[in-house]
Amino acid sequence: MDQPLDNSTGISPEALAEMSPEQLDRLHKEQEFRKEHAGHESQHETMAFVLIFSLFAAQFLILFWKKKHFRSYQAFSLGGLWLIPFIFGLTGEWWRFLAFWSIYSVINCWVIYKASRAPLDGATPRLVYRWFTIVYNASFVVGVTGYVIVMLVLFNVATLIFDPKDAMSAGILFLSYGLYFGVLGRDFVEICSDRMAATVGYYSKDGFPRKHLRSHICAVCNQATSIPVGSLVEPDPTVINEPVHHLECKHVFHEKCIRGWCLIGKKDICPYCKEKVDLKQFQKNPWDTQQQLYLNLLDGVRYLVVWQPVSFKSGAIIWPGFGLVCMG
């Protein structure tokens, strides 16, 4: 050894004399490690305090931003939710995720393109809500399947059939896919709903509608719900025979249009007069329920995917020591 052992080891001289050279060398390295990291405990406590404080501060800033400038918050949040996992996928070589992400993105971009056209085609709202209904239902099934698999592994039930490590990996994978694409679809459909409604003109987010709604017109798709007496205009045969739904405010909509607006588009108001809508009237099957726990979980996923990495990165820029506690 280059240096003698000090007397801080708590080992008697007789015990030291009986140690082999390998044991003495190991003990010497342990002493050097302790000297090198002496006092780091207090530094770690300080960095942990800064980490907690930064996360709380970030929460307040995010809530303030969301309240004062919701559109910019929504755009940044959705952009981060869409692109940050893609960047991680490229750096981590998650090829399976990148394949699903690419297929979803191509179809989603086409749906968004259709929803942003002016004038809006009468069939577009049904197309948009049908696509996001498929995404939401599929993500819910995949997420629940992953959750069930994880629970079966934790309770040692899955081990009777599958290898526990493989089953846990599959469960986490399914759960992650379901939550991610679920929250991504929910955010995109809200933007598409506002865009389509503003294009049709019977709905205004901040003021009064730009057009008067006639009694036989659906305010979601701008197509006729019935043929008025004496009308000379030929209605669209693909929608005129569709079932209709009467809200308590007496406005009439195609059943598919108003269900898509309320259940998929996350709107609980009439698209024309903005009167509150009782969503229970649409609950005809399990998919129609507002699974509040699942939706809250989706909001948590949005924070973990977008805002937590942003908070960590901001803290590391402000104080370089912040990054050390995040990594270790």
Side-chain angles (χ1 to χ4, degrees), residues 210-224:
R210 301 192 307 271
K211 298 194 304 187
H212 172 69
L213 179 64
R214 291 172 291 177
S215 60
H216 67 285
I217 296 296
C218 172
V220 176
C221 67
N222 199 30
Q223 298 295 313

Side-chain angles (χ1 to χ4, degrees), residues 193-316:
S193 295
D194 289 338
R195 175 64 180 175
M196 291 188 299
T199 301
V200 170
Y202 295 114
Y203 171 80
S204 175
K205 191 173 184 179
D206 302 318
F208 293 101
R210 301 192 307 271
K211 298 194 304 187
H212 172 69
L213 179 64
R214 291 172 291 177
S215 60
H216 67 285
I217 296 296
C218 172
V220 176
C221 67
N222 199 30
Q223 298 295 313
T225 58
S226 62
I227 304 176
V229 178
S231 175
L232 300 178
V233 178
E234 185 69 21
D236 188 343
T238 62
V239 298
I240 195 61
N241 295 322
E242 285 191 4
V244 297
H245 186 92
H246 297 257
L247 296 180
E248 294 181 359
C249 57
K250 308 304 181 182
H251 293 126
V252 184
F253 304 88
H254 294 115
E255 180 81 14
K256 293 181 180 179
C257 291
I258 194 62
R259 284 168 62 85
W261 168 267
C262 292
L263 296 181
I264 305 303
K266 301 191 295 185
K267 307 292 186 181
D268 61 350
I269 57 175
C270 171
Y272 183 67
C273 67
K274 299 183 181 179
E275 182 174 325
K276 283 289 184 179
V277 175
D278 183 11
L279 298 179
K280 293 182 180 179
Q281 62 184 292
F282 298 108
Q283 296 178 3
K284 297 182 178 180
N285 57 66
W287 300 118
D288 297 338
T289 60
Q290 294 289 314
Q291 296 118 341
Q292 196 59 46
L293 179 60
Y294 181 63
L295 297 181
N296 290 339
L297 189 59
L298 294 183
D299 290 334
V301 172
R302 182 184 300 105
Y303 173 76
L304 290 175
V305 173
V306 180
W307 297 113
Q308 192 176 53
V310 171
S311 300
F312 284 164
K313 189 64 177 179
S314 301

Side-chain angles (χ1 to χ4, degrees), residues 62-125:
I62 291 170
L63 291 176
F64 178 80
W65 184 11
K66 184 178 181 180
K67 181 178 180 181
K68 296 297 182 179
H69 305 280
F70 179 75
R71 290 186 179 179
S72 62
Y73 165 85
Q74 186 185 44
F76 185 90
S77 178
L78 182 55
L81 186 66
W82 195 8
L83 297 177
I84 290 177
F86 173 75
I87 295 173
F88 282 132
L90 287 177
T91 57
E93 298 182 353
W94 304 338
W95 306 123
R96 178 169 46 195
F97 168 78
L98 292 175
F100 282 111
W101 186 93
S102 300
I103 295 172
Y104 171 86
S105 297
V106 169
I107 301 176
N108 205 58
C109 288
W110 178 73
V111 171
I112 295 172
Y113 171 81
K114 296 287 291 183
S116 61
R117 296 302 90 197
L120 189 71
D121 186 90
T124 297

